[in-house]
Amino acid sequence: MIKVISFDFDGTIAKHTFADAFWLEGVPALYAKQHHVDGEVAKKYLFEEYDKIGDNRIEWYDPGYWFNRFDLQADWKKMLLKYRKNVEIYPDVLSVLKRISTYYKLIISSNAKKEFIDIQLRQSKLSDYFDQIFSSTSDFHTVKKVTDFYAMICKKLLIQPQEMIHVGDHNEFDYLSPKKLGITAFYLDRNKTTTGPYVVHDLSQFEDIVTKSSSSDRINLQREM
């Protein structure tokens, strides 16, 4: 019996516009102002520094780390609010959440910092649809959504992996990792470059598969691609 549906966040619920505005525009602009350099010079330097750390290290996701490293005299949490106008939710999200939340407990399972997720949910008025938010970086101090991440979520929720469905836009971290644990997982390919029984091209298609397959509160899809 499926009890929980888990959604990835960036690329699944929200577009990357908010995070990009903060990291690619806001932080360089603040650096340029405080260190008295040209904006393009600041961008080039910061982007090179981002790359030196890389997304395999938890510091890459932590604004506090970068603000300390670059000696930026500002509160990054307050600065996030400045860019909330850049929040953009995919057009298929709201209608799907409205319907599917009447049947299942919904959660978010993301590697984004919770502060980024919270602002976007409030700005888009989607907070009430989700019972809990799990962030690999904020809650479990892990960088990637590996199988252990999903195991920890199931433990927190007091459910078995077979009682959860997950959907997200990264083939490895949103499909293969939860699948290894026994979670029914779907790869969301919004670019429509792949197909398969566990590939969906939008959340409406995901909803159709889940609701049709769950008429008896059980997923009966084949387990192998």
Side-chain angles (χ1 to χ4, degrees):
M1 180 181 292
I2 299 300
K3 296 180 179 179
V4 175
I5 295 186
S6 166
F7 291 84
D8 172 52
F9 194 72
D10 291 322
T12 299
I13 297 294
K15 298 183 181 181
H16 295 275
T17 49
F18 174 68
D20 286 351
F22 178 83
W23 289 112
L24 307 184
E25 300 296 333
V27 177
L30 181 61
Y31 182 92
K33 180 180 179 180
Q34 293 191 0
H35 293 275
H36 309 290
V37 298
D38 178 77
E40 291 305 311
V41 172
K43 283 186 178 182
K44 183 176 184 299
Y45 171 66
L46 264 62
F47 296 170
E48 289 175 350
E49 293 301 301
Y50 292 163
D51 289 341
K52 286 179 183 178
I53 295 296
D55 62 0
N56 286 320
R57 288 175 55 181
I58 198 165
E59 293 94 335
W60 195 81
Y61 302 87
D62 184 4
Y65 167 80
W66 293 107
F67 273 51
N68 289 332
R69 177 169 176 156
F70 299 138
D71 192 27
L72 299 178
Q73 304 302 309
D75 184 332
W76 67 266
K77 293 181 181 179
K78 290 182 179 179
M79 184 172 157
L80 277 178
L81 294 172
K82 177 182 177 182
Y83 293 95
R84 61 184 182 271
K85 65 181 183 298
N86 295 98
V87 172
E88 192 172 353
I89 302 299
Y90 286 101
D92 55 347
V93 169
L94 180 59
S95 60
V96 169
L97 293 183
K98 281 183 176 179
R99 289 188 294 267
I100 211 165
S101 62
T102 62
Y103 301 103
Y104 300 99
K105 177 178 181 177
L106 307 185
I107 66 170
I108 288 172
S109 305
S110 172
N111 67 353
K113 294 281 285 185
K114 268 191 172 177
E115 290 87 351
F116 283 75
I117 298 172
D118 287 340
I119 287 176
Q120 293 181 83
L121 288 178
R122 291 200 304 270
Q123 181 70 15
S124 56
K125 297 180 173 58
L126 296 179
S127 300
D128 290 344
Y129 292 105
F130 297 98
D131 287 84
Q132 287 183 258
I133 299 169
F134 294 98
S135 161
S136 63
T137 50
S138 297
D139 294 322
F140 304 117
H141 305 291
T142 61
V143 174
K144 299 296 185 183
K145 295 190 297 184
V146 294
T147 301
D148 285 349
F149 170 67
Y150 294 98
M152 289 185 284
I153 290 176
C154 290
K155 184 176 180 180
K156 290 272 188 181
L157 295 176
L158 302 177
I159 62 171
Q160 296 300 312
Q162 294 77 16
E163 296 175 313
M164 178 190 290
I165 300 173
H166 178 75
V167 61
D169 70 322
H170 196 290
N171 187 55
E172 180 179 354
F173 300 126
D174 290 308
Y175 174 65
L176 295 177
S177 289
K179 180 185 176 184
K180 288 177 183 176
L181 190 66
I183 293 170
T184 300
F186 291 86
Y187 169 48
L188 174 60
D189 175 20
R190 291 188 179 276
N191 293 323
K192 301 180 179 180
T193 58
T194 53
T195 58
Y198 284 89
V199 177
V200 293
H201 296 147
D202 56 47
L203 290 182
S204 295
Q205 184 184 3
F206 169 73
E207 179 193 9
D208 287 343
I209 294 172
V210 169
T211 54
K212 287 177 182 178
S213 302
S214 304
S215 58
S216 61
D217 295 320
R218 186 178 297 274
I219 295 295
N220 293 313
L221 299 175
Q222 66 183 46
R223 287 291 169 181
E224 298 295 331
M225 292 292 289

